Amino acid sequence: MIVAIDGPAGCGKSTIARMLSQNLGFLYVNSGNIYRAISLWAVEHGISPEQSSKIIEEARKLDLRYQPDGSLTMNGRKLDKELRSSEVDAVVSQISAIPEIREIVNMIVHESAKGRDAVAEGRDITTVVFPNAEVKFYLDASVEERARRRLNEHVSNQNADEIIKNIQMRDKIDKSKPVGALKIAEDAIYLDTSGLTIEQVYAKVYSKILYTREEHGQ
Ligand code: DC
């Protein structure tokens, strides 16, 4: 069974997807992290996002895979915090907009989830990557709520106004990509998580999945 989740930056989808994968015993696939890994490779090799043919050529050779413990490795190296560095943040939107890079990432996601139960999340998972997923969610939250959550994480040195501007900019980029833009799939369950705790969102999502599993006799 594939559980597909899309939503804008900061809507809480990674937290929910991780909790689901742990409780259901499903593989967790964070497609944003695969775009981040390719971006990290470019940063570490001094290649700018404008050098798209070089990035495409090298990305095809990278061995990016999910390990049984759920971690993402690149040529055998386990990736973690470095995926969220400011250098990666600065180039990942541009690199994830390259159509050939999107094909590579989609292939890695498909390979990882082949023949397995998985929870996959990103921006185009419900629309492009797994259009036939058994259950689809679009998680949303207001810009203000997402900024508040980001402030509470205390990981950014930006103030509230800067965080809001940054979220608005990311939303615009995500929604206007020529390929793989963030959209609400017609058959996705739309959930506005503003004002809800993670536990409340989780309870809603989990009950929908149990219901779908019963329907499918799984
Ligand atoms: O979810 P995130 O912020 O870690 O994603 C990193 C970047 O990758 C962000 O610019 C959005 C982009 N992305 C995408 O274009 N398609 C996806 N399926 C997932 C992420």
Side-chain angles (χ1 to χ4, degrees):
M1 176 183 196
I2 299 288
V3 177
I5 307 177
D6 283 324
C11 68
K13 60 186 184 304
S14 301
T15 308
I16 295 295
R18 214 175 301 113
M19 286 166 80
L20 286 173
S21 84
Q22 276 163 6
N23 291 341
L24 295 165
F26 285 16
L27 174 76
Y28 168 49
V29 181
N30 178 330
S31 58
N33 276 350
I34 308 177
Y35 289 108
R36 287 177 178 277
I38 295 170
S39 304
L40 175 69
W41 181 90
V43 167
E44 289 181 341
H45 290 79
I47 297 169
S48 76
E50 286 76 28
Q51 294 172 274
S52 55
S53 3
K54 178 81 184 151
I55 299 178
I56 296 162
E57 187 192 325
E58 295 299 327
R60 288 203 170 109
K61 295 187 218 152
L62 286 176
D63 177 17
L64 281 160
R65 63 177 72 200
Y66 278 93
Q67 299 298 333
D69 69 354
S71 63
L72 176 65
T73 56
M74 179 163 64
N75 296 340
R77 164 185 168 201
K78 202 167 177 164
L79 302 173
D80 188 21
K81 288 202 169 58
E82 59 271 55
L83 294 178
R84 316 210 81 80
S85 72
S86 51
E87 290 87 350
V88 169
D89 275 345
V91 296
V92 67
S93 303
Q94 213 176 327
I95 291 180
S96 66
I98 303 170
E100 291 88 344
I101 294 293
R102 303 200 68 83
E103 278 171 22
I104 295 168
V105 171
N106 295 351
M107 219 171 61
I108 295 169
V109 174
H110 275 147
E111 277 299 309
S112 310
K114 202 158 148 191
R116 305 186 58 171
D117 292 319
V119 185
E121 54 122 325
R123 305 293 191 287
D124 62 344
I125 302 298
T126 59
T127 53
V128 176
V129 185
F130 288 119
N132 299 320
E134 283 84 352
V135 55
K136 299 179 179 183
F137 295 97
Y138 185 100
L139 299 189
D140 210 350
S142 67
V143 173
E144 293 73 22
E145 171 85 21
R146 289 186 280 143
R148 196 162 41 244
R149 290 176 189 167
R150 182 102 187 116
L151 265 177
N152 289 340
E153 286 170 6
H154 300 291
V155 288
S156 167
N157 44 20
Q158 294 175 313
N159 65 34
D161 279 350
E162 287 167 340
I163 290 180
I164 286 182
K165 283 210 180 79
N166 188 269
I167 288 177
Q168 285 169 330
M169 192 191 69
R170 291 183 65 175
D171 284 356
K172 201 169 157 201
I173 295 173
D174 283 343
K175 290 177 182 173
S176 61
K177 280 201 176 85
V179 183
L182 174 64
K183 287 187 206 134
I184 307 173
E186 263 178 35
D187 51 352
I189 298 159
Y190 178 90
L191 211 56
D192 186 345
T193 70
S194 308
L196 298 180
T197 63
I198 283 292
E199 289 71 26
Q200 289 169 326
V201 178
Y202 184 78
K204 284 179 190 285
V205 168
Y206 190 68
S207 69
K208 299 272 188 205
I209 294 173
L210 291 190
Y211 179 76
T212 310
R213 270 183 132 178
E214 271 167 31
E215 264 188 338
H216 286 252
Q218 290 179 332

